Coordinates of all heavy atoms in Angstrom, one line a residue:
L1 N -3.5 7.5 17.8 CA -3.5 6.3 18.6 C -2.9 6.6 20.0 O -2.6 5.7 20.7 CB -2.6 5.3 17.9 CG -3.1 4.7 16.6 CD1 -2.1 3.7 16.0 CD2 -4.4 4.1 16.8
S2 N -2.6 7.8 20.2 CA -2.0 8.3 21.5 C -2.8 7.9 22.7 O -2.3 7.8 23.8 CB -1.6 9.7 21.5 OG -2.8 10.5 21.3
A3 N -4.1 7.8 22.5 CA -5.0 7.4 23.6 C -4.9 6.0 24.1 O -5.5 5.7 25.1 CB -6.5 7.9 23.3
L4 N -4.3 5.2 23.3 CA -4.2 3.8 23.6 C -3.0 3.5 24.6 O -2.0 4.1 24.5 CB -4.0 2.9 22.3 CG -5.0 3.1 21.2 CD1 -4.6 2.3 20.1 CD2 -6.4 2.7 21.7
T5 N -3.3 2.5 25.5 CA -2.2 2.0 26.3 C -1.3 1.2 25.4 O -1.7 0.8 24.3 CB -2.9 1.1 27.4 OG1 -3.4 -0.1 26.9 CG2 -3.9 1.8 28.2
P6 N -0.1 0.9 25.9 CA 0.8 0.1 25.1 C 0.2 -1.2 24.7 O 0.3 -1.7 23.5 CB 2.0 -0.1 26.0 CG 2.0 1.1 26.8 CD 0.6 1.4 27.1
N7 N -0.6 -1.9 25.6 CA -1.2 -3.2 25.3 C -2.3 -3.0 24.1 O -2.4 -3.8 23.3 CB -1.9 -3.8 26.5 CG -2.4 -5.2 26.2 OD1 -1.7 -6.0 25.6 ND2 -3.5 -5.5 26.8
Q8 N -3.0 -1.9 24.3 CA -4.0 -1.6 23.2 C -3.4 -1.3 21.9 O -3.9 -1.7 20.8 CB -5.0 -0.5 23.7 CG -5.9 -0.8 24.8 CD -6.6 0.4 25.5 OE1 -6.0 1.4 25.4 NE2 -7.8 0.2 25.9
Q9 N -2.3 -0.6 21.9 CA -1.6 -0.2 20.7 C -1.1 -1.5 20.0 O -1.2 -1.6 18.8 CB -0.4 0.6 20.9 CG -0.8 2.1 21.3 CD 0.5 2.9 21.6 OE1 1.5 2.4 21.8 NE2 0.2 4.2 21.8
E10 N -0.7 -2.5 20.8 CA -0.2 -3.7 20.2 C -1.4 -4.5 19.6 O -1.2 -5.1 18.5 CB 0.4 -4.6 21.3 CG 1.0 -5.9 20.9 CD 1.7 -6.6 22.0 OE1 2.5 -5.9 22.7 OE2 1.3 -7.8 22.3
Q11 N -2.6 -4.3 20.1 CA -3.7 -5.1 19.6 C -4.4 -4.3 18.5 O -5.1 -4.9 17.7 CB -4.8 -5.2 20.7 CG -4.3 -6.2 21.9 CD -5.3 -6.2 23.0 OE1 -6.3 -5.6 23.0 NE2 -4.9 -7.0 24.1
F12 N -4.2 -3.0 18.3 CA -4.8 -2.2 17.3 C -4.2 -2.5 16.0 O -3.0 -2.3 15.7 CB -4.8 -0.7 17.6 CG -5.5 0.1 16.5 CD1 -6.8 0.1 16.5 CD2 -4.7 0.8 15.6 CE1 -7.6 0.8 15.6 CE2 -5.4 1.6 14.7 CZ -6.8 1.6 14.7
N13 N -5.0 -3.2 15.1 CA -4.4 -3.5 13.7 C -5.4 -3.0 12.7 O -5.3 -3.4 11.5 CB -4.2 -4.9 13.5 CG -5.4 -5.8 13.7 OD1 -6.5 -5.3 13.9 ND2 -5.3 -7.1 13.6
G14 N -6.3 -2.1 13.0 CA -7.3 -1.5 12.1 C -6.8 -0.3 11.5 O -5.6 0.0 11.5
P15 N -7.8 0.4 10.9 CA -7.4 1.6 10.1 C -6.9 2.7 11.1 O -7.3 2.8 12.2 CB -8.7 2.0 9.5 CG -9.8 1.4 10.3 CD -9.2 0.1 10.8
A16 N -6.0 3.5 10.6 CA -5.5 4.6 11.3 C -6.6 5.7 11.4 O -7.3 5.9 10.5 CB -4.2 5.2 10.7
P17 N -6.5 6.6 12.5 CA -7.5 7.7 12.6 C -7.4 8.6 11.4 O -6.4 8.6 10.7 CB -7.0 8.3 13.9 CG -6.4 7.3 14.7 CD -5.7 6.4 13.7
T18 N -8.4 9.4 11.2 CA -8.6 10.3 10.1 C -8.6 9.6 8.8 O -8.0 10.1 7.8 CB -7.6 11.5 10.2 OG1 -6.3 11.0 10.0 CG2 -7.7 12.3 11.4
R19 N -9.3 8.6 8.7 CA -9.6 7.8 7.5 C -11.0 7.7 7.2 O -11.9 7.7 8.1 CB -9.0 6.4 7.6 CG -7.6 6.2 8.0 CD -6.7 6.6 6.9 NE -5.3 6.4 7.3 CZ -4.3 6.6 6.5 NH1 -4.5 7.1 5.4 NH2 -3.1 6.4 7.0
N20 N -11.4 7.7 5.9 CA -12.8 7.5 5.5 C -12.9 6.0 5.2 O -12.1 5.4 4.6 CB -13.1 8.3 4.3 CG -13.2 9.7 4.6 OD1 -13.1 10.1 5.8 ND2 -13.5 10.5 3.6
L21 N -14.0 5.4 5.7 CA -14.2 4.0 5.6 C -15.7 3.8 5.2 O -16.6 4.6 5.3 CB -14.0 3.3 6.9 CG -12.6 3.4 7.4 CD1 -12.6 4.4 8.6 CD2 -12.0 2.1 7.8
Q22 N -16.0 2.6 4.6 CA -17.3 2.2 4.2 C -17.8 1.1 5.1 O -17.1 0.1 5.3 CB -17.3 1.7 2.7 CG -18.7 1.4 2.2 CD -18.8 1.3 0.7 OE1 -17.8 0.7 0.2 NE2 -19.8 1.6 0.2
H23 N -18.9 1.3 5.7 CA -19.6 0.3 6.5 C -20.1 -0.8 5.6 O -20.4 -0.6 4.4 CB -20.8 0.9 7.2 CG -21.4 0.1 8.3 ND1 -22.5 -0.7 8.0 CD2 -21.1 -0.1 9.5 CE1 -22.9 -1.4 9.1 NE2 -22.0 -1.1 10.1
Y24 N -20.1 -2.0 6.1 CA -20.6 -3.1 5.2 C -21.9 -3.0 4.7 O -22.3 -3.5 3.6 CB -20.4 -4.5 6.0 CG -21.5 -4.7 7.0 CD1 -22.5 -5.5 6.7 CD2 -21.4 -4.2 8.3 CE1 -23.6 -5.9 7.6 CE2 -22.4 -4.5 9.2 CZ -23.5 -5.3 8.9 OH -24.4 -5.5 9.8
K25 N -22.8 -2.1 5.3 CA -24.1 -1.8 4.6 C -24.1 -0.7 3.6 O -25.1 -0.4 3.0 CB -25.1 -1.5 5.8 CG -25.4 -2.6 6.7 CD -26.4 -2.2 7.8 CE -26.7 -3.4 8.7 NZ -27.6 -3.0 9.9
G26 N -22.9 -0.1 3.4 CA -22.8 0.8 2.3 C -22.4 2.3 2.6 O -21.9 3.0 1.8
N27 N -22.9 2.8 3.8 CA -22.6 4.2 4.1 C -21.2 4.4 4.4 O -20.5 3.5 4.9 CB -23.5 4.6 5.3 CG -24.9 4.8 4.9 OD1 -25.3 5.2 3.8 ND2 -25.8 4.4 5.8
E28 N -20.8 5.7 4.2 CA -19.4 6.1 4.5 C -19.2 6.8 5.8 O -20.2 7.6 6.2 CB -18.8 7.0 3.4 CG -18.6 6.2 2.1 CD -17.8 7.1 1.1 OE1 -17.1 8.0 1.4 OE2 -18.0 6.8 -0.1
Y29 N -18.2 6.6 6.5 CA -17.9 7.1 7.8 C -16.4 7.6 7.9 O -15.6 7.1 7.2 CB -18.0 6.0 8.9 CG -19.5 5.6 9.1 CD1 -20.0 4.6 8.2 CD2 -20.3 6.2 10.0 CE1 -21.3 4.2 8.3 CE2 -21.6 5.7 10.1 CZ -22.1 4.8 9.2 OH -23.4 4.3 9.3
Q30 N -16.2 8.6 8.8 CA -14.8 9.1 9.0 C -14.4 8.7 10.4 O -15.1 9.1 11.4 CB -14.7 10.6 8.9 CG -13.4 11.2 9.0 CD -13.4 12.6 8.8 OE1 -13.9 13.4 9.6 NE2 -13.0 13.1 7.6
L31 N -13.3 8.0 10.5 CA -12.7 7.6 11.8 C -11.9 8.8 12.3 O -11.0 9.2 11.6 CB -11.8 6.4 11.6 CG -11.2 5.9 12.9 CD1 -12.2 5.6 14.0 CD2 -10.3 4.7 12.7
I32 N -12.3 9.5 13.3 CA -11.8 10.7 13.8 C -10.5 10.4 14.6 O -9.4 11.0 14.5 CB -12.7 11.5 14.6 CG1 -14.1 11.8 13.8 CG2 -12.1 12.9 15.1 CD1 -13.9 12.6 12.6
D33 N -10.7 9.5 15.6 CA -9.5 9.2 16.5 C -10.0 8.0 17.4 O -11.0 7.5 17.3 CB -9.3 10.5 17.5 CG -7.9 10.6 18.0 OD1 -7.2 9.5 17.8 OD2 -7.4 11.5 18.4
I34 N -9.0 7.6 18.2 CA -9.2 6.5 19.1 C -9.2 7.2 20.5 O -8.2 7.9 20.8 CB -8.1 5.4 19.0 CG1 -8.0 4.9 17.6 CG2 -8.5 4.3 20.0 CD1 -9.3 4.3 17.0
A35 N -10.2 6.9 21.4 CA -10.2 7.4 22.7 C -10.3 6.3 23.6 O -10.5 5.2 23.3 CB -11.5 8.3 22.9
T36 N -10.1 6.6 24.9 CA -10.1 5.6 26.0 C -11.3 5.9 26.9 O -11.4 7.0 27.4 CB -8.8 5.6 26.8 OG1 -7.7 5.4 25.9 CG2 -8.8 4.6 27.9
H37 N -12.1 4.9 27.2 CA -13.3 5.0 28.1 C -12.7 5.4 29.5 O -11.8 4.7 29.9 CB -14.0 3.7 28.1 CG -15.4 3.9 28.8 ND1 -15.4 3.9 30.1 CD2 -16.6 3.8 28.3 CE1 -16.7 3.9 30.5 NE2 -17.4 3.9 29.4
S38 N -13.3 6.3 30.1 CA -12.8 6.9 31.4 C -13.0 5.9 32.5 O -12.1 5.9 33.5 CB -13.5 8.1 31.7 OG -14.9 8.0 32.0
E39 N -13.9 5.0 32.5 CA -14.1 4.1 33.6 C -13.5 2.7 33.3 O -12.9 2.1 34.3 CB -15.6 3.8 33.8 CG -16.3 5.1 34.2 CD -15.8 5.6 35.6 OE1 -15.6 4.9 36.5 OE2 -15.8 6.9 35.7
T40 N -13.5 2.2 32.1 CA -13.0 0.8 31.8 C -11.7 0.8 31.1 O -11.1 -0.3 31.0 CB -14.1 0.1 30.9 OG1 -14.1 0.8 29.7 CG2 -15.4 0.0 31.6
E41 N -11.3 2.0 30.6 CA -10.1 2.0 29.8 C -10.2 1.3 28.5 O -9.2 1.0 27.9 CB -8.8 1.7 30.6 CG -8.6 2.6 31.7 CD -7.2 2.5 32.4 OE1 -6.4 1.7 31.9 OE2 -7.0 3.1 33.4
E42 N -11.4 1.0 28.0 CA -11.6 0.3 26.8 C -11.3 1.3 25.7 O -11.7 2.5 25.7 CB -13.0 -0.2 26.7 CG -13.3 -0.9 25.4 CD -14.8 -1.4 25.3 OE1 -15.6 -1.0 26.1 OE2 -15.1 -2.2 24.4
A43 N -10.7 0.9 24.6 CA -10.4 1.7 23.5 C -11.8 1.8 22.7 O -12.4 0.9 22.4 CB -9.3 1.1 22.6
M44 N -12.0 3.2 22.3 CA -13.2 3.4 21.6 C -12.9 4.1 20.3 O -12.0 5.1 20.3 CB -14.1 4.4 22.4 CG -14.4 3.9 23.8 SD -15.4 2.5 24.0 CE -17.0 3.2 23.6
A45 N -13.5 3.8 19.2 CA -13.4 4.6 17.9 C -14.3 5.8 18.0 O -15.5 5.6 18.3 CB -13.8 3.6 16.8
V46 N -13.8 6.9 17.7 CA -14.6 8.2 17.6 C -14.8 8.4 16.1 O -13.8 8.6 15.4 CB -13.9 9.3 18.3 CG1 -14.7 10.6 18.1 CG2 -13.6 9.0 19.7
Y47 N -16.1 8.5 15.7 CA -16.3 8.6 14.2 C -17.5 9.4 14.0 O -18.3 9.7 14.9 CB -16.4 7.2 13.6 CG -17.6 6.4 14.1 CD1 -18.7 6.3 13.3 CD2 -17.6 5.8 15.3 CE1 -19.8 5.6 13.7 CE2 -18.7 5.1 15.7 CZ -19.8 4.9 14.9 OH -21.0 4.3 15.3
R48 N -17.7 9.8 12.7 CA -18.9 10.5 12.2 C -19.4 9.9 10.9 O -18.6 9.5 10.1 CB -18.7 11.9 12.2 CG -17.9 12.4 11.0 CD -17.9 14.0 10.8 NE -17.1 14.6 11.9 CZ -17.7 15.5 12.7 NH1 -18.9 15.9 12.7 NH2 -16.9 16.0 13.6
P49 N -20.7 9.8 10.7 CA -21.2 9.4 9.4 C -21.0 10.6 8.4 O -21.1 11.7 8.8 CB -22.7 9.2 9.7 CG -23.0 9.9 10.9 CD -21.8 10.0 11.7
L50 N -20.7 10.3 7.2 CA -20.6 11.2 6.1 C -21.9 11.4 5.4 O -21.9 11.6 4.2 CB -19.4 10.8 5.2 CG -18.1 10.8 5.9 CD1 -17.0 10.4 5.0 CD2 -17.7 12.2 6.5
Y51 N -23.0 11.4 6.2 CA -24.3 11.6 5.6 C -25.2 12.2 6.8 O -24.7 12.1 8.0 CB -24.9 10.4 5.0 CG -25.1 9.3 6.1 CD1 -26.2 9.2 6.8 CD2 -24.0 8.4 6.4 CE1 -26.4 8.1 7.8 CE2 -24.1 7.4 7.3 CZ -25.3 7.2 8.0 OH -25.4 6.3 9.0
G52 N -26.3 12.7 6.5 CA -27.2 13.1 7.6 C -26.6 14.3 8.4 O -25.9 15.2 7.8
D53 N -26.8 14.3 9.7 CA -26.3 15.5 10.5 C -24.8 15.3 10.9 O -24.3 16.3 11.5 CB -27.2 15.6 11.8 CG -27.0 14.4 12.7 OD1 -26.2 13.5 12.5 OD2 -27.7 14.5 13.8
Q54 N -24.2 14.2 10.6 CA -22.8 14.0 10.7 C -22.3 14.3 12.2 O -21.2 14.7 12.5 CB -22.0 14.9 9.8 CG -22.2 14.6 8.4 CD -21.3 15.3 7.4 OE1 -20.4 16.0 7.8 NE2 -21.5 15.0 6.1
A55 N -23.2 13.8 13.1 CA -22.9 14.0 14.6 C -21.8 12.9 14.9 O -21.6 11.9 14.3 CB -24.1 13.6 15.4
L56 N -21.0 13.2 16.0 CA -20.0 12.3 16.4 C -20.6 11.2 17.2 O -21.6 11.3 18.0 CB -19.0 13.1 17.4 CG -18.0 14.0 16.7 CD1 -17.2 14.7 17.8 CD2 -17.1 13.4 15.7
W57 N -20.0 10.0 17.0 CA -20.4 8.8 17.7 C -19.1 8.1 18.2 O -18.1 8.3 17.7 CB -21.1 7.9 16.7 CG -22.4 8.3 16.2 CD1 -22.7 9.3 15.2 CD2 -23.7 7.9 16.7 NE1 -24.0 9.4 15.1 CE2 -24.7 8.6 16.0 CE3 -24.1 7.0 17.7 CZ2 -26.0 8.5 16.2 CZ3 -25.4 6.9 17.9 CH2 -26.4 7.6 17.2
V58 N -19.3 7.2 19.1 CA -18.3 6.3 19.6 C -18.8 4.9 19.5 O -20.0 4.5 19.7 CB -17.8 6.6 21.0 CG1 -17.1 8.0 21.1 CG2 -18.9 6.5 22.0
R59 N -17.8 4.0 19.3 CA -18.1 2.5 19.3 C -16.9 1.8 19.8 O -15.7 2.3 19.5 CB -18.2 2.1 17.8 CG -18.5 0.6 17.6 CD -18.5 0.2 16.1 NE -19.6 0.8 15.4 CZ -20.7 0.1 15.1 NH1 -20.8 -1.1 15.5 NH2 -21.7 0.7 14.5
P60 N -17.1 0.8 20.6 CA -15.9 0.1 21.1 C -15.0 -0.3 20.0 O -15.5 -0.8 18.9 CB -16.5 -1.1 21.9 CG -17.8 -0.7 22.2 CD -18.3 0.2 21.2
L61 N -13.7 -0.2 20.1 CA -12.7 -0.4 19.0 C -12.9 -1.9 18.6 O -12.7 -2.2 17.4 CB -11.3 -0.1 19.4 CG -10.3 -0.2 18.3 CD1 -10.5 0.6 17.1 CD2 -8.9 0.1 18.9
A62 N -13.1 -2.8 19.6 CA -13.2 -4.2 19.3 C -14.3 -4.4 18.3 O -14.3 -5.3 17.3 CB -13.4 -5.0 20.5
M63 N -15.5 -3.7 18.4 CA -16.6 -3.8 17.5 C -16.3 -3.2 16.1 O -16.7 -3.7 15.1 CB -17.9 -3.1 18.1 CG -18.6 -3.8 19.2 SD -20.0 -2.9 19.7 CE -21.1 -3.2 18.3
W64 N -15.5 -2.1 16.2 CA -15.1 -1.5 14.9 C -14.3 -2.4 14.1 O -14.5 -2.5 12.8 CB -14.3 -0.2 15.3 CG -13.9 0.6 14.1 CD1 -12.8 0.4 13.3 CD2 -14.6 1.7 13.6 NE1 -12.7 1.4 12.3 CE2 -13.8 2.2 12.4 CE3 -15.8 2.4 13.8 CZ2 -14.2 3.2 11.6 CZ3 -16.2 3.4 13.1 CH2 -15.4 3.8 12.0
Q65 N -13.4 -3.2 14.7 CA -12.5 -4.1 14.0 C -13.1 -5.4 13.7 O -12.5 -6.1 12.8 CB -11.3 -4.3 14.9 CG -10.5 -3.1 15.0 CD -9.3 -3.3 16.0 OE1 -9.5 -3.7 17.2 NE2 -8.1 -3.2 15.5
E66 N -14.2 -5.8 14.2 CA -14.7 -7.2 14.0 C -15.3 -7.4 12.7 O -15.6 -6.4 11.9 CB -15.7 -7.5 15.1 CG -17.1 -6.8 14.9 CD -18.1 -7.0 16.0 OE1 -17.6 -7.7 17.0 OE2 -19.2 -6.5 16.0
S67 N -15.3 -8.6 12.3 CA -16.0 -9.1 11.1 C -17.5 -9.3 11.4 O -17.9 -9.6 12.5 CB -15.3 -10.3 10.6 OG -14.0 -10.0 10.1
V68 N -18.2 -9.2 10.3 CA -19.7 -9.5 10.5 C -20.0 -10.6 9.4 O -19.3 -10.7 8.4 CB -20.5 -8.3 10.3 CG1 -20.4 -7.2 11.4 CG2 -20.3 -7.6 8.9
D69 N -21.1 -11.3 9.6 CA -21.5 -12.4 8.7 C -22.4 -11.8 7.7 O -23.4 -11.3 8.1 CB -22.0 -13.6 9.5 CG -22.4 -14.7 8.5 OD1 -21.5 -15.3 7.9 OD2 -23.7 -14.9 8.3
R70 N -22.1 -11.8 6.4 CA -23.0 -11.4 5.4 C -23.1 -12.5 4.3 O -22.2 -12.8 3.7 CB -22.4 -10.2 4.7 CG -23.3 -9.5 3.7 CD -23.5 -8.1 4.1 NE -24.7 -7.6 3.3 CZ -24.8 -6.3 2.9 NH1 -23.9 -5.5 3.2 NH2 -25.9 -5.9 2.3
D71 N -24.3 -13.1 4.3 CA -24.6 -14.1 3.4 C -23.7 -15.3 3.6 O -23.2 -16.0 2.6 CB -24.6 -13.7 1.9 CG -25.6 -12.6 1.6 OD1 -26.7 -12.6 2.2 OD2 -25.2 -11.7 0.8
G72 N -23.3 -15.6 4.8 CA -22.5 -16.7 5.2 C -21.0 -16.4 5.0 O -20.2 -17.4 5.2
I73 N -20.6 -15.2 4.7 CA -19.2 -14.9 4.5 C -18.8 -13.8 5.5 O -19.5 -12.8 5.7 CB -19.0 -14.2 3.1 CG1 -19.3 -15.3 2.0 CG2 -17.6 -13.8 2.9 CD1 -19.4 -14.8 0.6
A74 N -17.7 -14.1 6.2 CA -17.2 -13.0 7.2 C -16.5 -11.9 6.4 O -15.6 -12.1 5.6 CB -16.2 -13.7 8.1
I75 N -17.0 -10.7 6.6 CA -16.5 -9.5 6.0 C -16.2 -8.5 7.1 O -16.8 -8.4 8.2 CB -17.3 -8.9 5.0 CG1 -18.7 -8.5 5.5 CG2 -17.5 -9.9 3.8 CD1 -19.6 -7.8 4.5
P76 N -15.2 -7.5 6.9 CA -15.0 -6.5 7.9 C -16.2 -5.6 8.0 O -16.9 -5.3 7.1 CB -13.8 -5.7 7.3 CG -13.3 -6.5 6.1 CD -14.3 -7.4 5.7
R77 N -16.4 -5.1 9.2 CA -17.5 -4.1 9.5 C -17.3 -2.9 8.7 O -18.2 -2.3 8.2 CB -17.7 -3.9 11.0 CG -18.8 -2.9 11.3 CD -18.9 -2.7 12.8 NE -19.2 -3.9 13.5 CZ -20.5 -4.4 13.7 NH1 -21.5 -3.8 13.2 NH2 -20.7 -5.5 14.4
F78 N -16.0 -2.4 8.8 CA -15.6 -1.2 8.1 C -14.4 -1.5 7.1 O -13.5 -2.3 7.6 CB -15.2 0.0 9.1 CG -16.4 0.4 9.9 CD1 -16.6 -0.1 11.1 CD2 -17.2 1.5 9.3 CE1 -17.7 0.4 11.9 CE2 -18.2 2.0 10.1 CZ -18.5 1.5 11.4
E79 N -14.4 -1.0 6.0 CA -13.4 -1.1 5.0 C -12.8 0.2 4.6 O -13.5 1.2 4.3 CB -13.9 -1.8 3.7 CG -12.9 -2.2 2.7 CD -13.4 -3.0 1.6 OE1 -14.5 -3.5 1.7 OE2 -12.8 -3.0 0.5
Y80 N -11.4 0.2 4.6 CA -10.8 1.5 4.3 C -11.1 1.9 2.9 O -11.0 1.2 1.9 CB -9.3 1.4 4.5 CG -8.4 2.5 3.9 CD1 -8.2 3.6 4.8 CD2 -7.8 2.5 2.7 CE1 -7.5 4.7 4.3 CE2 -7.1 3.5 2.3 CZ -6.9 4.6 3.1 OH -6.2 5.6 2.6
L81 N -11.4 3.3 2.7 CA -11.5 3.9 1.4 C -10.4 4.8 1.0 O -9.8 4.7 -0.1 CB -12.9 4.6 1.3 CG -14.1 3.8 1.5 CD1 -15.4 4.8 1.6 CD2 -14.3 2.9 0.3
R82 N -10.1 5.8 1.9 CA -9.1 6.8 1.5 C -8.8 7.6 2.7 O -9.5 7.6 3.7 CB -9.7 7.7 0.4 CG -10.9 8.5 0.8 CD -11.6 9.2 -0.3 NE -12.9 9.6 0.0 CZ -14.0 8.9 -0.1 NH1 -13.9 7.7 -0.6 NH2 -15.1 9.4 0.3
P83 N -7.7 8.4 2.7 CA -7.4 9.4 3.8 C -8.6 10.4 4.0 O -9.2 10.7 2.9 CB -6.2 10.1 3.4 CG -5.5 9.2 2.4 CD -6.7 8.5 1.7
A84 N -8.9 10.8 5.1 CA -10.0 11.7 5.3 C -9.8 13.1 4.6 O -10.8 13.7 4.2 CB -10.2 12.0 6.8
S85 N -8.6 13.5 4.3 CA -8.4 14.7 3.7 C -8.7 14.7 2.1 O -8.8 15.7 1.5 CB -7.0 15.2 3.8 OG -6.1 14.2 3.3
A86 N -8.9 13.5 1.6 CA -9.2 13.3 0.2 C -10.6 13.8 -0.1 O -11.5 13.7 0.8 CB -9.0 11.9 -0.3
A87 N -10.8 14.1 -1.3 CA -12.2 14.6 -1.7 C -13.2 13.5 -1.4 O -12.9 12.3 -1.8 CB -12.3 15.1 -3.1
Q88 N -14.4 13.9 -1.0 CA -15.4 12.9 -0.7 C -16.4 12.8 -1.9 O -16.7 13.7 -2.5 CB -16.1 13.2 0.6 CG -15.2 13.2 1.7 CD -15.8 13.6 3.1 OE1 -17.0 13.6 3.2 NE2 -15.0 14.0 4.0

């Protein structure tokens, strides 16, 4: 979380970096770290899918933390599974 400004740290209430999470559609991802966009200073989640080519991706942290509507029920976009060091 060192890449976050004090204000962003206060707002960050999601999973800590280096955690494995499950996307609401079922696939697993590893949250690598939180980065700061060089132009906007927006907090970005740096992550990789734990399937396919496992390339690195970024997503605005606000999107990472938001809820999505699934069958009329608000659920988290990503749900914590385990520390990244645990067996997958």
Side-chain angles (χ1 to χ4, degrees):
L1 295 175
S2 61
L4 299 178
T5 66
N7 188 40
Q8 290 168 330
Q9 286 177 349
E10 186 176 307
Q11 294 173 4
F12 183 72
N13 61 4
T18 64
R19 305 284 184 184
N20 289 356
L21 300 106
Q22 185 170 31
H23 189 267
Y24 76 99
K25 292 182 181 176
N27 288 322
E28 290 188 26
Y29 295 82
Q30 183 178 75
L31 178 61
I32 306 295
D33 208 343
I34 305 301
T36 303
H37 190 287
S38 64
E39 298 296 320
T40 65
E41 296 189 5
E42 179 180 14
M44 307 292 282
V46 180
Y47 67 100
R48 75 173 69 242
L50 296 177
Y51 61 90
D53 67 4
Q54 299 189 1
L56 286 178
W57 291 81
V58 296
R59 174 188 293 262
L61 185 59
M63 285 182 68
W64 183 273
Q65 296 176 297
E66 72 187 2
S67 294
V68 295
D69 183 67
R70 183 121 197 215
D71 300 324
I73 300 170
I75 59 171
R77 181 179 296 276
F78 291 95
E79 184 175 339
Y80 172 80
L81 293 175
R82 62 188 166 275
S85 59
Q88 299 175 17

